[in-house]
Amino acid sequence: MAHYLLSVHSVEGEVREPMTEEQMRQSHQQLGVIEEELKSTGAWVFSGRLHAPDTATVVRVSGGEVLTTDGPFVEAKEHLGGFYIIDAADLDAALAWAGRVTAAIKVPIEVWPFADARGA
């Protein structure tokens, strides 16, 4: 089994058709079912939803000093809105979980394998 990051992205300024209350309820219900299944199958490691990009702080070293600046670090329209860390048998299994999540929340999911630190 390997760990995968399922990153949930939002696109700043993207105009989407607003969800009705019923659609939002169904989406949250589907996501709850998926998250419960992730946990019950042992695939769930950790997940989190993030605040808006303008709440980020960037920390870096410059001239030997640690500096902080208002984020986000990358100036882009796409932003990380949340993530799942899962344990999956292979990339295909991770992609299957990502497919279920994107179907429920209707935003892009990017799947990244973690580097195997044990082999380093």
Side-chain angles (χ1 to χ4, degrees), residues 31-117:
L31 202 52
V33 168
I34 294 166
E35 290 175 357
E36 186 55 43
E37 191 173 336
L38 279 164
K39 291 175 183 177
S40 69
T41 61
W44 185 86
V45 176
F46 185 76
S47 66
R49 182 173 178 225
L50 303 174
H51 286 282
D54 63 353
T55 65
T57 303
V58 178
V59 180
R60 65 172 52 112
V61 173
S62 179
E65 288 188 55
V66 175
L67 303 175
T68 60
T69 55
D70 292 341
F73 176 70
V74 177
E75 294 296 328
K77 289 177 27 178
E78 296 83 14
H79 297 285
L80 183 63
F83 61 91
Y84 291 89
I85 298 173
I86 65 167
D87 201 19
D90 54 29
L91 178 60
D92 288 338
L95 293 173
W97 284 115
R100 292 183 62 194
V101 173
T102 194
I105 62 176
K106 311 290 190 264
V107 298
I109 308 295
E110 190 172 33
V111 178
W112 289 61
F114 278 84
D116 186 2

Side-chain angles (χ1 to χ4, degrees), residues 18-37:
M19 294 175 93
T20 65
E21 285 188 35
E22 178 60 20
Q23 290 170 321
M24 193 171 296
R25 186 194 65 73
Q26 288 177 355
S27 177
H28 288 186
Q29 182 181 16
Q30 288 175 322
L31 202 52
V33 168
I34 294 166
E35 290 175 357
E36 186 55 43
E37 191 173 336

